[in-house]
Amino acid sequence: APQFMILMTSQNLDYAREALFDTAEMAGADPTMPKGLRRMIGIPAPELRQANGQERTTAPMRRLDPEDETSPVVGGGTFRIAAASGKSGGRSMSFRRVIMDELRQHTSWEAYNAGIHTMNAVRDAQAFFISNQGDRNAVVLHALREEALEGVDRRLGIFEWSSPKDSRADDIEALRYANPNLGTRNDHNIDPETLIAEARTAIRAGGDALAKFKIEVMCIGVPNLDPAIDLVAWWECGGG
């Protein structure tokens, strides 16, 4: 049986498949290695299954030292993916690592419970939750974030890049909090002028456009994606 089981769930299974294929490629499943990676000599390629509902990659068991029959046996780890919208989410299996992508899309605890309880019998298990902010329907995200900020559970950590809650969308300094690559000189830099232009467009449009900008770009949670009251106009007229 595999020694190390990893489960990744996502609302969009295509995103999870991309992570699966990248993992398999890094481990050498594809001998052509289009990204320039090369399989280590002497280490066999992992198995990659792509059948619907059975997507996984498994590293074969091997001896740490192939020439020594007493050398420890390693490998056998399996990386699986599952749709977060499904009810199974890895039930009946035990996973040492669980990765849940786009946690803000979890509007109930069903998928969370299906995945998280697969680690109950694993002493050194870890779960990773990846997400932007969400609206009031993101019940799992909000509950875990609040618990982490309050320090209720010392095992729960939060690593967040977000603008201060009441920031204007076109505040360049506030935008830096949520976009560490803003104005940097690297291959992933974000152009400040472009971001400010997008912010001002969102402010003029208000409503859904502004709410989505705050979520996607500023990582600020909003009560509703399409609010009845334009909060920017409300604040500017002294309503706040």
Side-chain angles (χ1 to χ4, degrees), residues 90-102:
R91 280 196 175 102
S92 78
M93 298 181 184
S94 291
F95 291 94
R96 194 170 287 182
R97 300 289 184 268
V98 171
I99 306 166
M100 294 189 181
D101 190 29
E102 280 300 308

mmCIF file with all atom_site columns, all heavy atoms in Angstrom, residues 90-102:
data_model
loop_
_atom_site.group_PDB
_atom_site.id
_atom_site.type_symbol
_atom_site.label_atom_id
_atom_site.label_alt_id
_atom_site.label_comp_id
_atom_site.label_asym_id
_atom_site.label_entity_id
_atom_site.label_seq_id
_atom_site.pdbx_PDB_ins_code
_atom_site.Cartn_x
_atom_site.Cartn_y
_atom_site.Cartn_z
_atom_site.occupancy
_atom_site.B_iso_or_equiv
_atom_site.pdbx_formal_charge
_atom_site.auth_seq_id
_atom_site.auth_comp_id
_atom_site.auth_asym_id
_atom_site.auth_atom_id
_atom_site.pdbx_PDB_model_num
ATOM 1   N N   . GLY A 1 90  ? -12.490 11.710 -0.935 1.00 0.00 ? 90  GLY A N   1
ATOM 2   C CA  . GLY A 1 90  ? -11.449 10.879 -0.348 1.00 0.00 ? 90  GLY A CA  1
ATOM 3   C C   . GLY A 1 90  ? -11.902 10.040 0.825  1.00 0.00 ? 90  GLY A C   1
ATOM 4   O O   . GLY A 1 90  ? -11.084 9.418  1.503  1.00 0.00 ? 90  GLY A O   1
ATOM 5   N N   . ARG A 1 91  ? -13.200 10.011 1.111  1.00 0.00 ? 91  ARG A N   1
ATOM 6   C CA  . ARG A 1 91  ? -13.689 9.205  2.234  1.00 0.00 ? 91  ARG A CA  1
ATOM 7   C C   . ARG A 1 91  ? -13.273 7.747  2.069  1.00 0.00 ? 91  ARG A C   1
ATOM 8   O O   . ARG A 1 91  ? -13.147 7.258  0.969  1.00 0.00 ? 91  ARG A O   1
ATOM 9   C CB  . ARG A 1 91  ? -15.220 9.304  2.321  1.00 0.00 ? 91  ARG A CB  1
ATOM 10  C CG  . ARG A 1 91  ? -15.709 10.570 2.993  1.00 0.00 ? 91  ARG A CG  1
ATOM 11  C CD  . ARG A 1 91  ? -17.179 10.423 3.388  1.00 0.00 ? 91  ARG A CD  1
ATOM 12  N NE  . ARG A 1 91  ? -17.648 11.575 4.137  1.00 0.00 ? 91  ARG A NE  1
ATOM 13  C CZ  . ARG A 1 91  ? -18.398 12.552 3.627  1.00 0.00 ? 91  ARG A CZ  1
ATOM 14  N NH1 . ARG A 1 91  ? -18.719 12.512 2.359  1.00 0.00 ? 91  ARG A NH1 1
ATOM 15  N NH2 . ARG A 1 91  ? -18.796 13.559 4.381  1.00 0.00 ? 91  ARG A NH2 1
ATOM 16  N N   . SER A 1 92  ? -13.064 7.073  3.177  1.00 0.00 ? 92  SER A N   1
ATOM 17  C CA  . SER A 1 92  ? -12.648 5.675  3.280  1.00 0.00 ? 92  SER A CA  1
ATOM 18  C C   . SER A 1 92  ? -11.150 5.523  3.062  1.00 0.00 ? 92  SER A C   1
ATOM 19  O O   . SER A 1 92  ? -10.632 4.405  3.108  1.00 0.00 ? 92  SER A O   1
ATOM 20  C CB  . SER A 1 92  ? -13.403 4.763  2.299  1.00 0.00 ? 92  SER A CB  1
ATOM 21  O OG  . SER A 1 92  ? -12.902 4.870  0.981  1.00 0.00 ? 92  SER A OG  1
ATOM 22  N N   . MET A 1 93  ? -10.430 6.625  2.844  1.00 0.00 ? 93  MET A N   1
ATOM 23  C CA  . MET A 1 93  ? -8.975  6.578  2.700  1.00 0.00 ? 93  MET A CA  1
ATOM 24  C C   . MET A 1 93  ? -8.342  7.406  3.813  1.00 0.00 ? 93  MET A C   1
ATOM 25  O O   . MET A 1 93  ? -9.003  8.209  4.471  1.00 0.00 ? 93  MET A O   1
ATOM 26  C CB  . MET A 1 93  ? -8.537  7.142  1.341  1.00 0.00 ? 93  MET A CB  1
ATOM 27  C CG  . MET A 1 93  ? -9.055  6.374  0.156  1.00 0.00 ? 93  MET A CG  1
ATOM 28  S SD  . MET A 1 93  ? -8.461  7.080  -1.390 1.00 0.00 ? 93  MET A SD  1
ATOM 29  C CE  . MET A 1 93  ? -9.332  6.035  -2.562 1.00 0.00 ? 93  MET A CE  1
ATOM 30  N N   . SER A 1 94  ? -7.041  7.207  4.019  1.00 0.00 ? 94  SER A N   1
ATOM 31  C CA  . SER A 1 94  ? -6.291  8.004  4.990  1.00 0.00 ? 94  SER A CA  1
ATOM 32  C C   . SER A 1 94  ? -5.222  8.788  4.248  1.00 0.00 ? 94  SER A C   1
ATOM 33  O O   . SER A 1 94  ? -4.418  8.201  3.518  1.00 0.00 ? 94  SER A O   1
ATOM 34  C CB  . SER A 1 94  ? -5.643  7.100  6.045  1.00 0.00 ? 94  SER A CB  1
ATOM 35  O OG  . SER A 1 94  ? -6.628  6.525  6.887  1.00 0.00 ? 94  SER A OG  1
ATOM 36  N N   . PHE A 1 95  ? -5.210  10.085 4.447  1.00 0.00 ? 95  PHE A N   1
ATOM 37  C CA  . PHE A 1 95  ? -4.259  10.950 3.757  1.00 0.00 ? 95  PHE A CA  1
ATOM 38  C C   . PHE A 1 95  ? -3.353  11.643 4.770  1.00 0.00 ? 95  PHE A C   1
ATOM 39  O O   . PHE A 1 95  ? -3.791  12.042 5.856  1.00 0.00 ? 95  PHE A O   1
ATOM 40  C CB  . PHE A 1 95  ? -4.989  11.999 2.919  1.00 0.00 ? 95  PHE A CB  1
ATOM 41  C CG  . PHE A 1 95  ? -5.694  11.415 1.731  1.00 0.00 ? 95  PHE A CG  1
ATOM 42  C CD1 . PHE A 1 95  ? -7.031  11.047 1.804  1.00 0.00 ? 95  PHE A CD1 1
ATOM 43  C CD2 . PHE A 1 95  ? -5.015  11.226 0.532  1.00 0.00 ? 95  PHE A CD2 1
ATOM 44  C CE1 . PHE A 1 95  ? -7.687  10.503 0.712  1.00 0.00 ? 95  PHE A CE1 1
ATOM 45  C CE2 . PHE A 1 95  ? -5.659  10.676 -0.565 1.00 0.00 ? 95  PHE A CE2 1
ATOM 46  C CZ  . PHE A 1 95  ? -6.995  10.315 -0.477 1.00 0.00 ? 95  PHE A CZ  1
ATOM 47  N N   . ARG A 1 96  ? -2.097  11.807 4.389  1.00 0.00 ? 96  ARG A N   1
ATOM 48  C CA  . ARG A 1 96  ? -1.148  12.503 5.252  1.00 0.00 ? 96  ARG A CA  1
ATOM 49  C C   . ARG A 1 96  ? -1.140  14.000 4.958  1.00 0.00 ? 96  ARG A C   1
ATOM 50  O O   . ARG A 1 96  ? -0.799  14.812 5.805  1.00 0.00 ? 96  ARG A O   1
ATOM 51  C CB  . ARG A 1 96  ? 0.249   11.919 5.060  1.00 0.00 ? 96  ARG A CB  1
ATOM 52  C CG  . ARG A 1 96  ? 1.226   12.345 6.146  1.00 0.00 ? 96  ARG A CG  1
ATOM 53  C CD  . ARG A 1 96  ? 2.523   11.554 6.075  1.00 0.00 ? 96  ARG A CD  1
ATOM 54  N NE  . ARG A 1 96  ? 2.321   10.185 6.530  1.00 0.00 ? 96  ARG A NE  1
ATOM 55  C CZ  . ARG A 1 96  ? 3.301   9.286  6.601  1.00 0.00 ? 96  ARG A CZ  1
ATOM 56  N NH1 . ARG A 1 96  ? 4.528   9.611  6.227  1.00 0.00 ? 96  ARG A NH1 1
ATOM 57  N NH2 . ARG A 1 96  ? 3.061   8.068  7.034  1.00 0.00 ? 96  ARG A NH2 1
ATOM 58  N N   . ARG A 1 97  ? -1.516  14.363 3.744  1.00 0.00 ? 97  ARG A N   1
ATOM 59  C CA  . ARG A 1 97  ? -1.623  15.766 3.376  1.00 0.00 ? 97  ARG A CA  1
ATOM 60  C C   . ARG A 1 97  ? -2.924  15.974 2.603  1.00 0.00 ? 97  ARG A C   1
ATOM 61  O O   . ARG A 1 97  ? -3.251  15.186 1.712  1.00 0.00 ? 97  ARG A O   1
ATOM 62  C CB  . ARG A 1 97  ? -0.450  16.227 2.498  1.00 0.00 ? 97  ARG A CB  1
ATOM 63  C CG  . ARG A 1 97  ? 0.919   16.082 3.136  1.00 0.00 ? 97  ARG A CG  1
ATOM 64  C CD  . ARG A 1 97  ? 1.153   17.084 4.250  1.00 0.00 ? 97  ARG A CD  1
ATOM 65  N NE  . ARG A 1 97  ? 2.508   16.980 4.767  1.00 0.00 ? 97  ARG A NE  1
ATOM 66  C CZ  . ARG A 1 97  ? 2.858   16.220 5.799  1.00 0.00 ? 97  ARG A CZ  1
ATOM 67  N NH1 . ARG A 1 97  ? 1.947   15.465 6.408  1.00 0.00 ? 97  ARG A NH1 1
ATOM 68  N NH2 . ARG A 1 97  ? 4.116   16.196 6.224  1.00 0.00 ? 97  ARG A NH2 1
ATOM 69  N N   . VAL A 1 98  ? -3.642  17.055 2.943  1.00 0.00 ? 98  VAL A N   1
ATOM 70  C CA  . VAL A 1 98  ? -4.852  17.430 2.219  1.00 0.00 ? 98  VAL A CA  1
ATOM 71  C C   . VAL A 1 98  ? -4.707  18.887 1.791  1.00 0.00 ? 98  VAL A C   1
ATOM 72  O O   . VAL A 1 98  ? -4.375  19.746 2.609  1.00 0.00 ? 98  VAL A O   1
ATOM 73  C CB  . VAL A 1 98  ? -6.117  17.252 3.073  1.00 0.00 ? 98  VAL A CB  1
ATOM 74  C CG1 . VAL A 1 98  ? -7.328  17.867 2.375  1.00 0.00 ? 98  VAL A CG1 1
ATOM 75  C CG2 . VAL A 1 98  ? -6.375  15.783 3.350  1.00 0.00 ? 98  VAL A CG2 1
ATOM 76  N N   . ILE A 1 99  ? -4.919  19.150 0.520  1.00 0.00 ? 99  ILE A N   1
ATOM 77  C CA  . ILE A 1 99  ? -4.835  20.508 -0.031 1.00 0.00 ? 99  ILE A CA  1
ATOM 78  C C   . ILE A 1 99  ? -6.203  20.874 -0.586 1.00 0.00 ? 99  ILE A C   1
ATOM 79  O O   . ILE A 1 99  ? -6.729  20.171 -1.456 1.00 0.00 ? 99  ILE A O   1
ATOM 80  C CB  . ILE A 1 99  ? -3.781  20.584 -1.154 1.00 0.00 ? 99  ILE A CB  1
ATOM 81  C CG1 . ILE A 1 99  ? -2.431  20.071 -0.662 1.00 0.00 ? 99  ILE A CG1 1
ATOM 82  C CG2 . ILE A 1 99  ? -3.663  22.017 -1.684 1.00 0.00 ? 99  ILE A CG2 1
ATOM 83  C CD1 . ILE A 1 99  ? -1.439  19.806 -1.781 1.00 0.00 ? 99  ILE A CD1 1
ATOM 84  N N   . MET A 1 100 ? -6.787  21.960 -0.083 1.00 0.00 ? 100 MET A N   1
ATOM 85  C CA  . MET A 1 100 ? -8.085  22.426 -0.573 1.00 0.00 ? 100 MET A CA  1
ATOM 86  C C   . MET A 1 100 ? -7.904  23.774 -1.250 1.00 0.00 ? 100 MET A C   1
ATOM 87  O O   . MET A 1 100 ? -7.545  24.757 -0.612 1.00 0.00 ? 100 MET A O   1
ATOM 88  C CB  . MET A 1 100 ? -9.096  22.528 0.571  1.00 0.00 ? 100 MET A CB  1
ATOM 89  C CG  . MET A 1 100 ? -9.445  21.201 1.187  1.00 0.00 ? 100 MET A CG  1
ATOM 90  S SD  . MET A 1 100 ? -10.824 21.311 2.356  1.00 0.00 ? 100 MET A SD  1
ATOM 91  C CE  . MET A 1 100 ? -10.917 19.607 2.897  1.00 0.00 ? 100 MET A CE  1
ATOM 92  N N   . ASP A 1 101 ? -8.148  23.790 -2.558 1.00 0.00 ? 101 ASP A N   1
ATOM 93  C CA  . ASP A 1 101 ? -7.989  25.004 -3.341 1.00 0.00 ? 101 ASP A CA  1
ATOM 94  C C   . ASP A 1 101 ? -9.308  25.778 -3.395 1.00 0.00 ? 101 ASP A C   1
ATOM 95  O O   . ASP A 1 101 ? -10.384 25.186 -3.338 1.00 0.00 ? 101 ASP A O   1
ATOM 96  C CB  . ASP A 1 101 ? -7.529  24.636 -4.756 1.00 0.00 ? 101 ASP A CB  1
ATOM 97  C CG  . ASP A 1 101 ? -7.103  25.834 -5.562 1.00 0.00 ? 101 ASP A CG  1
ATOM 98  O OD1 . ASP A 1 101 ? -6.637  26.830 -4.957 1.00 0.00 ? 101 ASP A OD1 1
ATOM 99  O OD2 . ASP A 1 101 ? -7.217  25.805 -6.797 1.00 0.00 ? 101 ASP A OD2 1
ATOM 100 N N   . GLU A 1 102 ? -9.203  27.110 -3.500 1.00 0.00 ? 102 GLU A N   1
ATOM 101 C CA  . GLU A 1 102 ? -10.373 27.992 -3.594 1.00 0.00 ? 102 GLU A CA  1
ATOM 102 C C   . GLU A 1 102 ? -11.367 27.721 -2.463 1.00 0.00 ? 102 GLU A C   1
ATOM 103 O O   . GLU A 1 102 ? -12.547 27.425 -2.690 1.00 0.00 ? 102 GLU A O   1
ATOM 104 C CB  . GLU A 1 102 ? -11.055 27.828 -4.955 1.00 0.00 ? 102 GLU A CB  1
ATOM 105 C CG  . GLU A 1 102 ? -10.368 28.582 -6.063 1.00 0.00 ? 102 GLU A CG  1
ATOM 106 C CD  . GLU A 1 102 ? -10.310 30.104 -5.829 1.00 0.00 ? 102 GLU A CD  1
ATOM 107 O OE1 . GLU A 1 102 ? -11.359 30.696 -5.552 1.00 0.00 ? 102 GLU A OE1 1
ATOM 108 O OE2 . GLU A 1 102 ? -9.221  30.684 -5.907 1.00 0.00 ? 102 GLU A OE2 1
#
